[in-house]
Every structure is written in structure tokens, then in C-alpha cells.
Amino acid sequence: MGKNFETLEHQVWLPYKFSVGPVFNRFFEGLKEGKILGNRCPKCNKVLVPARSFCPECFVDMGDWEEVSQEGEVVTWAQANYEFFGAPAEPPFIGALIRLDHTDCNFLHLVGGFDLSDIDAVKSKVKSGARVKAVWSDVKKGHMLDIKFFEPE
Amino acid sequence: MGRPVAIIGAGQTKHGNRSEITYPDLVREGVKSVFEDAGVGPDDIDGVVFGTMPSMMEGVALTHFYFADALQAVGKPILKSETCGSTGMSLALTGYYWVASGMADMVLVVGSEKMHEGDSQATMTTVAEPFYLRYFIAGAPGIFSLQSKLWIDRYGLSEELVRDAAAKISVDHHNDAFDNPVAHIKKKLTMDDVKNSKVVVYPSRLWDICPNSDGACGVIFASEEKAKKICRNPAWVKGVGYSGEEYWFDDSDKVVWKSAINAAKQAYKMAGITNPIEELDVAEIYNPFTYVELLHYECFGFCDFGKASDLTLKGIFARDGKLPCDPSGGVLCTNPIGASGLIRVAEAAMQVTGKAGDHQIEDAKLGFAHAMGGASQFNGVMIVGSEL
Amino acid sequence: MTGKVAIVEVAQSPGGESGDNYLDQVYRICKEVLDKAGMKRKDVGTVVSASSDVFHGGVSCANAYYWDAGAGFLKNGSRQDGESLFAFYYGVLRILSGHYDTALILGVCKGSENPDNDMLTHFYTDPFYQRPLGMNETFAAALQMRQYLDKYDVTEEQCAQVVVKNLGNALRNPYAHIRKRVSVEEVMASKRIMDPLKQMECAPKSEGFIALLLASEEKALELTAKPVWLKGYGASMDTFYMGDRDLLSSQLTNAAKKAYSMAGIADPKKELDVAEITEPYAFQELLWYEGLGLCGQGEGGKFIESGATGIEGEVPVNPSGGVLATNSYVSRGLYRVAEVALQIRGQAGERQLDKKVNTGLAHGTHGFAGQCHAVAILGI
């Protein structure tokens, strides 16, 4: 059963218009200006970045905005060596969670700026705890990839 | 049959075009509103039920992940109930069965949709499978217009009579919506405005059809013990019913519409209702299309088959009539699909607890809430009352 | 538990790609479970199915499409998105409510009709912060794996052992998709697609049509001589943004605690005779051992090396081959339940454990790095 039946191929494409809202909008405006903006929960005092509209734990509106440090530590990372849908770059590239200094959550982004062809060399450069610093694109459009990557110091 | 279940709170966002905020913020607005109404907080909740239309609608899949924080579901069990247009009712039923089973004492139920972020008709076209139906069925209006035509022909109804009844429904609901602070479309229309509006899929015209709305709704179900402790004035779930037909449109008769008839029958049986038009005080019917609302009156036993148009024109189902239907304006005025079925439950609960504000039906004690889904495939009913 | 609900019959389809029409597959699996129970469709009280529109061949409102093929015609039924253990639990609730004696639980996911899981799980992301970075379940798992290896004494070889164990177990499971003898070396040499994750450590994409028949206490005893009772259940969600999560300390512990407490289990390692764990990425089986309290934090590598979770071990884990052998995504939670039920009933064929199996654990997870976990304890 089922050996010689045909397959019907079909693609579905759908358009979307996501509402950005005032908080994310301001975060993206910050990127355009070369700034990374977080905000602080008035209840638990945590600084979250990228900025949020509400604190997930306290369930209250976030309070004061802060321009956060563009340097931090790698918390964890992974090197992509294959192509996949929605990938931010051609492989090989490194995705990571980075704790920017004086913030209370991890920032998802890329680590780069050096040769990725030798995995052992990469591992010595990018361990957990490694210090990294944001490197920006020349053209900024208000998009997460306005930051090109974080480069190890 | 199972322990008694109460509704101790209901809340809604302002429905409409909410492009000024993100989708999680919209969900949060709905969650906050029900917590406020019920006077409870996230720590009181044992479980969360959430659902929407398919992922394709807003371009995010398995949204219980994205909204975990907006729902305050972290650390909690969740159930994700989704059944197309009847989702809102399926959500309410899930909350009901969860508490009735005794496995939870308080359940937060939330439905939402943010239709302005996607292409709703294109999404609905993906409901049709690609082998047989997709070439012919594009979007919702086609299906419901087909069904309306079947009904008109079956009973040999005068197209003019039916056209007038449907127009009256449109005029009444769009006007009623002015007394519902959260409704989306509020408009003063004349019968001619409706009858002359642009044809979308014959016989349905622009004002016969619901809008695309953004919105969220929350309802909290609780055990008898919890309800009596916390809530001065809970609504009680008196009857539930749900039924689904085949996927293939019109394999089953869509005029003597079994799933609608059965869903209502199940709920009436549980609630001990034998004469709905006499015993019910208010009904919130899922009515995205005026013509199909008429058909629903018949299937729910509010009148004899073929007679809905006559009674509508007599005002039986108007706000000051014998059985007010959709005093909130209904889905015709406000349709954030994933929430719409739940909004019917919220509205019925508000009515029987005297909390419906300017659109309160006086002395309402027993309310009927309904949702429909798929290509006229699913119907669900929940009856709520002010007495246990 | 506020009452007793049992699994009375199980029917599962093989996980390998099939050119069969999907509605036929849904129909046949429902027919099979009903025939096994000696029941007619009209006698079933309610149907709760599990499916996800995005894992559904581009046809949304999945429940509409398979409703009648799935035994649902004119029934009061429902459908759960995402995790099929939710459908299982919801069926249980409907029976415990007193409204129904029997419930058909159906899992529907035809892997061969879907794009890659990486493409589909990418759409769990918020469009603003995580989608531009290409986040998907594989990417999330790789971040989690690196942190796991860095923090504890767990080695990459120990992670690879999960693949060896599970694909080897699958050799005795005629329903499994990937069934083969592999070595740690082969796994270690497979492409490091998302370093430290290797190709062979990532689950495939399989067919998954599965049906369970549940019944109330009284009805179960009529329908079968070997009812398998639900003893406990727990589920828990984690917070959404990857950056807010503690990837090594998941909500699995919370879910397991609730399930164990309901089932009266104080020492899972001793009291569980078998466990079927959802491990779409090999290292996660080790991490989940810890979350389930089968071993201490950071001890997952040592635990697998000790043989404790092998077929002859103290707590055999994934005798079916697990998700690394058969990844029917949405349905995979029910496949875990089915295997535990079969083991308890002594109906697991060639892979039947050589010991008395009275109590077992079935686990399901989905979402980035396990954002959602559900645990069910089944027993005699």
C-alpha cells in the first residue's frame, strides 16, 4: 500500500503586518541610533533587554528606560554549520545568549568578527564567560541585525 | 453530572483595530480585565486554557509559548483548545470540564485574535484542503451564502421577506452596539443602507457580514466552594453541548442543521429546559452572517423551521422582544475570531449577573451562549444562569 | 486524581514515511482501536484529538479536516494544539467530569507532508526579537546543550550514548521509524550541524497516527482485563524569551513533582519500572533524567553510563526507541503513553521488558529548549 501514489506539491504564502507597539518601536529606534535600550521593572527592579512592555514575572508595566552597556559575557553559544529556514546568516555563524553588563536577562544575538573555520580555535575564543562587544552595521534600519554581531575582546 | 461550576468573572479588551499595541499586550489587556472583574490574581489560578484561530492567521505558531507570560501561565498546566470559529466555546467547555472533573478549582480561560496583523480570508482559504475544495472555496462568505441559499430554497421562502429580516438584524445589532463599550462596529443604519450595500457573495452584502476585529476575552471558571467564598454573585453553568459534522461541506444537511440542533439539545437537556423561547431570557448567538443567524433561531428551537424571518420582523428577537438575541451586537459587530465564542459566554454571564451595563436585559436569569466553527461544521452551546 | 480513568486499548501507526492518503490513515487508526476494544463508533462518548495546524500539510483548522475520519461525526469533541499529552489529559477530565464513560484520544501528524521541523518551529518566535536571529528548536537546543556541557561533568560521548541506546532499542519496535545499530563514534563523527549538536543527535520527522481508548473505572473493567490506570499527571509552562530562561532548570521538575505527588511516588528511580521520555535532541534525555529526579543534577551522563536506563537497567528509558527513533512531533506524547501502557499490559512484543512492569512514566515536551513539559504516571 502507498508505494506508487502520487504526491501533490503545494506552497502556501501568507502576508503579515505585525504591530510593533510603542515599547518595541522605541527599542528599534534606539538601534537606529546605535543604542541598545532596556527598561526596568518598577516592582522587582530587574533590567530587561531588549525592552519589554511588561515584566513577565511581576505582570506590571515596565518603568524607566535605560541605555544598557554594549559589552557583556557569553552565557552560551552554538555554531550553525547548516542552512536552515530563517537563518540570520550564511553558515558558519555563531548564535549566542549574552549577558550585557548590568542587565538581568540574556540577549540573543550573534558572535562573530573572526575566522570560524577551525572549531577548536573558535572554542578557545568563545567560551562561556568570554567578554564580547557589539559591532554595528553601517546602515541601521531599526532591526535586530543592525548590530552585526558581538566580537570577542 | 459532575460538580457544579461557576463563572466568577469575565473581561474583554476594547475590540477593533488594535494596531497600536503588540499581540501579547492585547492578550495581557484581556487577562488583566478578567482578573480585575473577578477580584483574583494569577496565584489563585490552577490552570490556564488558551486558544485562537490557526497559526496562519497571525503568523506565529503554537502561541501558548509566545503568550505564556501575558497569560501568567508560567509554572502552570495549560490546555490549548482550538476548533476554528467555535474555538471560543471550546475554550469555555474546556474550562468547564476541568473544574467539573475536580482536577482544578479555578481555571483562567482566554481567547484572542489580532486579525489586522494577517490576511484573514487567505488564512481561511487554507482551511480548504488542496485536493478537492481549495479551488472553489475562498474565504468564509462563500460557504455561508451557499448555506443561506439552501435554507431559503428548502422552505420556499420569499427572498424579499428573508432579505428584510436579515436587514433588520443588521440594523438592530449595529445600533445595539452603541450600548456596548467594547464593541467594534457601531453604526446607525437603515434597512435600505443594508439592502443596497455592496454584494460580497450573493445574497450576503457588506452590512450582512462581520468585521475583522482584534480583541481578547477572559473568563474564570471556579468550583462551587471557591465561587461561594470569593464571588458575591457568580453565574452558574447550567448546560453544555457541542457537535461536529463531516468536513465535506453539505454531506450533512446544512438547513436542518444537525450539529446546531444537537448542541442546543444537549445543553437544554442538562439545564432542564423544554421550552427555550419561554425559559431563556437572553441569547448570545454566534452570528457573523445575518442570514445564518435566522437559521440558528430555528435550529435552536426558538421558533419553527422556516419561520425565523416572520418572527424577526415582528421584533421577537430584538432587544425589547420576547427573546433578545445578541444585545451586545454579537459577532456581526465584533469578531476577533478566537475570542468570539468566549465573548458570547462572557456576555451571557454578564447578563445573568446584572453586569451588562447599558445593554443589560432586565431581569435576565438564564442566558444562552453559542459558537459555530468550520465551514458550518461545528456548533457549541453553553447555558448559564443566576441560580445554582 | 478525583477518580479512576484507564487506557483500555492502543493503536499506533508505524513512523516511517507513507504515501498513503492522510485521511485514510486517520480513519484506519481509529477503526483499529475501536475494533480492538470491541466498540462501535457510536458507542464512544467523546473524542479529543491532538494536532497542530502548522504541522498539518498547509491545511489549517486541522480538526475540521479530520473530524469525521477521526470518529467525531456528531460527537461532542475537542482538539488540543501542540502537545498530545494535553489531549490525553483533556479526555481524562471529560471522563472524570462524569459526562462520559469513554473517550477516544487521537494524535494526528503526518511528517511526510510537512516541511522540516526547523522551519515550522521557527514560527514559534516572536516576530521582533528572536525571529530575526533565526531561533528554532534546534538552535535553542544547541544553546542549552552547550550550557549543560559547560556547567557539568557531562561529556559529548555520553550524550551520543543516548542515540546508540534508543536507535538500538528501536530495532525491536516494528512501529519505529529509524531503527539501527550505531556507535558512539558514528554519532560523534556526524555533521555538527549546530555545534555542539550533531546531525545524528537530532530527531527525524516521522508519521504519527495514534489512537487510545480511555474509559471510566466501571466501563474499563467491562472492556478489558488489563486496564492501565492514570495515577498522576502534571504539566508546566516556562517563560517565553530564551534570554529570560534558566535553560538547565526547567519546568519539568515542577510538572514531575505534581505527577509524582498525585501518584504517591516518593522515589521515582525505585518506583518506576519504565519511562518513555521525549528526547528530540539526544542530550535532553540526560537533562530530563535529572528533571525527573531519576538522578541528581549534572549526573545525567554518569547515569546513562551506569546502564541504569538500558533495557536491563533499573529504570529502562525509551524501550520503544523514543523520539530519536520516531518523531511524529505532535503525536509523540501519545506514543510515549502507548508504549508504557503496552509494557504494563505485557503487549510490547519483542521489546517487552524482562521484568514485572507495574508503573511507568510517559513524558512529553515541546517548545524551545523544553518550554512546556507534561508528565503522566500510569500503573496497574
Side-chain angles (χ1 to χ4, degrees):
Chain A
M1 167 123 34
K3 285 200 222 52
N4 298 311
F5 299 132
E6 290 187 32
T7 306
L8 172 66
E9 292 199 10
H10 194 87
Q11 290 202 358
V12 178
W13 292 98
L14 295 167
Y16 294 101
K17 286 193 216 167
F18 300 112
S19 297
V20 179
V23 173
F24 293 6
N25 206 68
R26 188 164 164 190
F27 172 78
F28 289 124
E29 291 296 315
L31 289 184
K32 275 196 217 165
E33 295 167 26
K35 298 184 180 157
I36 303 178
L37 297 181
N39 46 14
R40 189 182 286 275
C41 171
K43 200 162 167 205
C44 68
N45 222 38
K46 285 194 182 150
V47 174
L48 300 181
V49 62
R52 316 290 175 80
S53 52
F54 64 95
C55 175
E57 246 179 286
C58 305
F59 207 46
V60 298
D61 291 358
M62 292 295 275
D64 296 330
W65 285 79
E66 274 188 31
E67 186 187 341
V68 308
S69 168
Q70 304 203 359
E71 297 180 35
E73 283 187 5
V74 172
V75 171
T76 182
W77 61 280
Q79 179 165 319
N81 295 311
Y82 75 126
E83 288 193 2
F84 58 89
F85 181 83
E90 285 290 306
F93 68 85
I94 294 177
L97 284 170
I98 298 161
R99 179 64 63 108
L100 297 173
D101 293 337
H102 313 300
T103 63
D104 299 295
C105 67
N106 301 324
F107 190 77
L108 176 71
H109 214 279
L110 306 175
V111 170
F114 56 98
D115 180 14
L116 297 183
S117 55
D118 177 359
I119 187 67
D120 291 316
V122 170
K123 280 184 183 165
S124 64
K125 236 176 149 74
V126 193
K127 347 173 180 269
S128 62
R131 299 279 313 163
V132 292
K133 183 174 176 162
V135 172
W136 293 82
S137 290
D138 294 325
V139 180
K140 299 183 191 57
K141 304 185 231 182
H143 184 276
M144 285 298 277
L145 297 177
D146 287 351
I147 302 171
K148 261 203 310 214
F149 43 69
F150 284 76
E151 188 165 6
E153 283 165 15
Chain B
M1 207 180 280
R3 55 181 198 162
V5 178
I7 291 173
I8 61 164
Q12 300 175 53
T13 60
K14 172 85 189 70
H15 308 301
N17 183 335
R18 300 301 308 273
S19 299
E20 83 282 3
I21 57 172
T22 66
Y23 197 176
D25 284 328
L26 182 69
V27 173
R28 179 172 171 240
E29 187 180 306
V31 170
K32 276 167 67 177
S33 77
V34 68
F35 279 145
E36 219 174 278
D37 187 60
V40 302
D43 289 343
D44 300 306
I45 301 294
D46 299 322
V48 178
V49 183
F50 180 65
T52 65
M53 279 289 273
S55 324
M56 291 75 163
M57 187 67 89
E58 288 95 2
V60 180
L62 277 64
T63 47
H64 48 293
F65 294 136
Y66 188 16
F67 301 145
D69 304 300
L71 294 167
Q72 287 292 279
V74 173
K76 306 211 163 91
I78 91 157
L79 288 178
K80 185 100 186 304
S81 304
E82 294 189 344
T83 59
C84 327
S86 61
T87 290
M89 182 56 70
S90 292
L91 293 171
L93 292 175
T94 309
Y96 165 74
Y97 286 116
W98 205 341
V99 176
S101 71
M103 295 298 283
D105 289 331
M106 200 177 298
V107 173
L108 167 69
V109 176
V110 179
S112 71
E113 213 67 61
K114 202 154 190 296
M115 294 172 69
H116 289 88
E117 291 198 8
D119 183 335
S120 60
Q121 295 312 316
T123 298
M124 287 194 249
T125 302
T126 64
V127 179
E129 46 70 39
F131 301 103
Y132 299 148
L133 296 178
R134 193 168 290 179
Y135 303 103
F136 307 104
I137 290 180
I143 286 288
F144 301 114
S145 295
L146 278 174
Q147 182 177 22
S148 310
K149 201 72 180 64
L150 279 169
W151 168 67
I152 291 169
D153 290 347
R154 175 74 57 85
Y155 298 114
L157 302 173
S158 142
E159 290 212 22
E160 250 186 61
L161 176 78
V162 174
R163 174 64 277 182
D164 276 352
K168 176 166 169 43
I169 284 176
S170 179
V171 168
D172 287 351
H173 290 331
H174 286 109
N175 189 42
D176 292 340
F178 282 103
D179 287 332
N180 179 359
V182 299
H184 179 185
I185 306 291
K186 313 174 190 219
K187 196 128 170 87
K188 294 236 184 282
L189 294 167
T190 65
M191 298 277 281
D192 281 339
D193 287 335
V194 180
K195 295 200 283 188
N196 296 330
S197 61
K198 177 175 144 171
V199 172
V200 174
V201 179
Y202 192 83
S204 307
R205 293 174 184 265
L206 192 68
W207 288 112
D208 289 313
I209 301 177
C210 63
N212 281 328
S213 312
D214 304 331
C217 175
V219 175
I220 297 181
F221 290 83
S223 65
E224 184 181 353
E225 197 189 316
K226 280 264 152 99
K228 287 186 169 161
K229 211 182 278 183
I230 310 177
C231 183
R232 240 183 336 112
N233 182 22
W236 298 94
V237 179
K238 308 296 289 176
V240 296
Y242 191 93
S243 188
E245 292 157 39
E246 317 88 325
Y247 175 68
W248 310 102
F249 182 74
D250 207 34
D251 268 15
S252 272
D253 188 345
K254 298 297 179 192
V255 176
V256 180
W257 194 0
K258 277 220 192 78
S259 59
I261 294 169
N262 285 1
K265 268 203 182 129
Q266 288 169 34
Y268 291 151
K269 184 163 179 219
M270 194 176 144
I273 290 174
T274 51
N275 192 347
I277 187 113
E278 294 296 329
E279 298 177 62
L280 294 172
D281 299 313
V282 63
E284 281 282 335
I285 295 177
Y286 193 89
N287 60 347
F289 291 87
T290 53
Y291 286 88
V292 182
E293 183 173 341
L294 293 164
L295 180 48
H296 271 125
Y297 295 159
E298 297 175 3
C299 296
F300 297 150
F302 296 171
C303 63
D304 291 334
F305 287 106
K307 295 298 175 194
S309 310
D310 299 305
L311 293 180
T312 298
L313 289 167
K314 287 203 178 89
I316 300 293
F317 305 115
R319 239 167 96 175
D320 54 358
K322 190 169 175 61
L323 177 55
C325 289
D326 296 279
S328 66
V331 179
L332 187 65
C333 297
T334 303
N335 192 15
I337 304 181
S340 292
L342 189 62
I343 292 171
R344 308 276 71 69
V345 172
E347 287 287 337
M350 284 156 61
Q351 289 286 352
V352 306
T353 55
K355 288 160 94 172
D358 289 339
H359 60 284
Q360 179 72 49
I361 301 300
E362 223 180 293
D363 284 330
K365 294 210 175 342
L366 202 57
F368 176 103
H370 156 256
M372 189 271 300
S376 297
Q377 191 179 358
F378 303 110
N379 281 282
V381 171
M382 182 175 278
I383 296 176
V384 296
S386 55
E387 310 288 319
L388 178 49
Chain C
M1 299 291 301
T2 55
K4 291 179 83 168
V5 179
I7 298 164
V8 304
E9 277 308 338
V10 162
Q12 58 184 302
S13 73
E17 182 172 312
S18 158
D20 246 331
N21 176 286
Y22 129 102
L23 286 180
D24 289 344
Q25 289 178 285
V26 172
Y27 163 66
R28 281 202 307 271
I29 208 74
C30 290
K31 196 95 176 54
E32 187 184 327
V33 85
L34 290 174
D35 287 346
K36 276 177 164 172
M39 283 188 80
K40 291 271 175 256
R41 192 193 73 82
K42 65 173 172 58
D43 301 321
V44 176
T46 184
V47 180
V48 184
S49 63
S51 60
S52 288
D53 293 338
V54 76
F55 287 91
H56 195 250
V59 178
S60 58
C61 286
N63 59 296
Y65 193 18
Y66 62 67
W67 186 263
D68 46 293
F73 184 63
L74 291 187
K75 292 211 182 289
N76 178 338
S78 194
R79 174 263 198 134
Q80 293 294 301
D81 170 59
E83 170 61 71
S84 50
L85 281 178
F86 292 170
F88 173 64
Y89 187 54
Y90 188 17
V92 167
L93 296 178
R94 283 184 165 228
I95 291 175
L96 289 177
S97 74
H99 284 261
Y100 300 105
D101 282 340
T102 52
L104 177 68
I105 311 300
L106 171 66
V108 176
C109 192
K110 189 168 166 75
S112 62
E113 286 190 347
N114 296 331
D116 289 339
N117 287 336
D118 279 343
M119 179 187 249
L120 299 176
T121 62
H122 175 62
F123 287 103
Y124 301 169
T125 49
D126 61 296
F128 312 106
Y129 295 155
Q130 299 184 120
R131 194 170 297 191
L133 275 309
M135 182 54 58
N136 59 37
E137 276 189 352
T138 301
F139 188 166
L143 292 173
Q144 186 180 39
M145 183 176 177
R146 172 90 56 206
Q147 211 174 12
Y148 187 46
L149 298 173
D150 280 352
K151 182 162 185 190
Y152 297 118
D153 231 336
V154 178
T155 66
E156 292 192 31
E157 285 77 2
Q158 286 165 339
C159 298
Q161 279 182 43
V162 177
V163 184
V164 174
K165 170 174 78 71
N166 291 354
L167 295 188
N169 288 350
L171 285 165
R172 273 170 290 161
N173 184 358
Y175 299 103
H177 181 187
I178 312 290
R179 316 156 68 201
K180 56 184 182 178
R181 200 157 301 293
V182 302
S183 66
V184 168
E185 290 70 38
E186 276 175 82
V187 177
M188 292 292 291
S190 67
K191 183 165 178 191
R192 302 178 83 93
I193 50 162
M194 198 81 195
D195 193 302
L197 263 181
K198 301 152 207 72
Q199 179 77 69
M200 286 178 72
E201 293 178 319
C202 302
K205 178 165 66 91
S206 315
E207 309 289 68
F209 298 91
I210 181 165
L212 307 180
L213 190 64
L214 307 185
S216 62
E217 184 173 4
E218 202 182 306
K219 193 73 184 170
L221 296 171
E222 274 175 47
L223 289 173
T224 180
K226 293 184 189 177
V228 175
W229 305 100
L230 177 65
K231 300 291 200 170
Y233 175 88
S236 201
M237 287 291 294
D238 212 331
T239 190
F240 177 66
Y241 288 103
M242 286 290 288
D244 292 351
R245 300 260 307 273
D246 178 350
L247 298 178
L248 300 184
S249 156
S250 69
Q251 289 291 332
L252 174 55
T253 306
N254 191 17
K257 204 153 89 175
K258 290 189 227 185
Y260 291 151
S261 163
M262 240 186 248
I265 289 181
D267 187 345
K269 193 169 92 157
K270 283 210 170 66
E271 300 176 57
L272 293 175
D273 300 314
V274 66
E276 280 280 326
I277 295 178
T278 293
E279 80 312 0
Y281 302 96
F283 78 95
Q284 284 178 337
E285 183 170 309
L286 307 182
L287 192 53
W288 305 157
Y289 292 160
E290 301 170 17
L292 289 171
L294 299 178
C295 66
Q297 259 201 330
E299 312 261 292
K302 287 203 196 78
F303 198 56
I304 194 174
E305 250 173 10
S306 73
T309 59
I311 290 295
E312 321 258 305
E314 196 180 342
V315 192
V317 173
N318 290 345
S320 67
V323 168
L324 284 170
T326 309
N327 183 17
S328 49
Y329 206 88
V330 181
S331 300
R332 64 196 185 194
L334 290 180
Y335 274 76
R336 312 275 71 69
V337 171
E339 182 66 17
V340 172
L342 290 171
Q343 290 283 352
I344 290 174
R345 286 158 69 112
Q347 291 173 347
E350 221 194 309
R351 65 202 185 280
Q352 182 66 45
L353 296 170
D354 193 15
K355 63 193 264 197
K356 195 97 192 55
V357 181
N358 291 339
T359 308
L361 177 148
H363 158 256
T365 183
H366 64 310
F368 298 147
Q371 191 189 344
C372 178
H373 288 276
V375 174
I377 310 293
L378 307 173
I380 54 165

